[in-house]
Each structure stands twice: as C-alpha cells, then as structure tokens.
Amino acid sequence: MAYEEQMLTETFTEFESRLYEYFIGIIQDDLGLDLSSHQASGLVFNEYNFLTGRVHKKVEEIRKHLRDTLPTKVIMLNLFYRNGRIYDFITELTREDFENICQPVNIDVIIARAVSESEFE
C-alpha cells in the first residue's frame, strides 16, 4: 500500500473513531451509563454489543456522506431498551460539530503530508 493510500485509510479510521466517540458521549450523557467497556457499562454482554455495534454501523454509513450533506440528522431508532423505555438516538450534526470533531485529524494529515513531501524522509 502506498504511503498516501495508507494515510487516507488511517485518516478515515480516525474520523470514524472520533465520530463514534462523539455519538457514544451523547448516549452516555442521555442514559447515565459508562459505555467505555462492557464491564463498565453494567449491561448484559449482548445489549452492550448490540448498542455499540449499531453506533459503529451508523458511523460507517454516514461518514461517506458527511462532508457533502451537513447539517445532517443522525437517527438510530430502537437503539436501546432501558428501564422499560425504548431509547431512540436522534441528533443533528452541524458543520461546526463535524469540524470540531475532526480538526485534530486534519492537522495530523497536513503534518504527515508535509513530512512525506519534505527532504527529511
């Protein structure tokens, strides 16, 4: 894999990771759960995996379209069942949110490109 392709792949992975953490943070705040791990959440293993898996899948779906369609609604209906209630995740991701989430990634890519194009390889 060429260096530029590798950087692009790593960048997309980093974007996905940042979006995932952003959405998980909203869910944690809404539900009062620690979703950093299955053990920390106190959830049944299948519940934890289902919830985090759906968030991962949604991030993969929307990442491809975010730059062109901001602001965008992010909707995951029936994401989680807790205390007798169904939790629907619905939020809007604005251009400002997206830029704040991804700003460190953009800086890393710029630095990596500058280093790869410099004489100090």
Side-chain angles (χ1 to χ4, degrees):
M1 178 182 299
Y3 177 77
E4 289 175 4
E5 290 175 22
Q6 181 181 358
M7 279 303 301
L8 188 60
T9 301
E10 289 172 4
T11 301
F12 284 148
T13 301
E14 186 66 22
F15 278 121
E16 289 173 356
S17 176
R18 289 180 185 276
L19 287 172
Y20 172 82
E21 292 300 325
Y22 177 76
F23 294 147
I24 286 293
I26 293 171
I27 295 167
Q28 289 182 133
D29 290 346
D30 286 351
L31 297 175
L33 292 173
D34 177 354
L35 297 173
S36 61
S37 70
H38 165 247
Q39 292 79 10
S41 73
L43 299 174
V44 175
F45 184 74
N46 289 345
E47 289 177 319
Y48 178 81
N49 282 342
F50 179 76
L51 186 151
T52 56
R54 290 239 355 242
V55 174
H56 274 288
K57 184 176 178 181
K58 181 56 88 172
V59 165
E60 290 170 3
E61 289 173 15
I62 66 172
R63 181 209 26 100
K64 299 171 189 173
H65 308 288
L66 277 177
R67 289 186 186 252
D68 299 327
T69 59
L70 288 173
T72 191
K73 278 226 181 234
V74 180
I75 301 171
M76 289 180 269
L77 299 177
N78 302 316
L79 178 63
F80 188 68
Y81 185 79
R82 180 155 174 90
N83 299 328
R85 295 182 55 206
I86 293 173
Y87 176 76
D88 294 329
F89 179 83
I90 302 171
T91 193
E92 183 172 270
L93 189 63
T94 65
R95 166 72 57 194
E96 183 179 355
D97 294 332
F98 182 70
E99 305 249 339
N100 288 336
I101 293 166
C102 298
Q103 183 179 8
V105 176
N106 293 334
I107 291 169
D108 291 346
V109 169
I110 291 167
I111 291 170
R113 255 190 215 129
V115 168
S116 73
E117 293 171 1
S118 73
E119 296 178 20
F120 303 105
E121 295 184 294

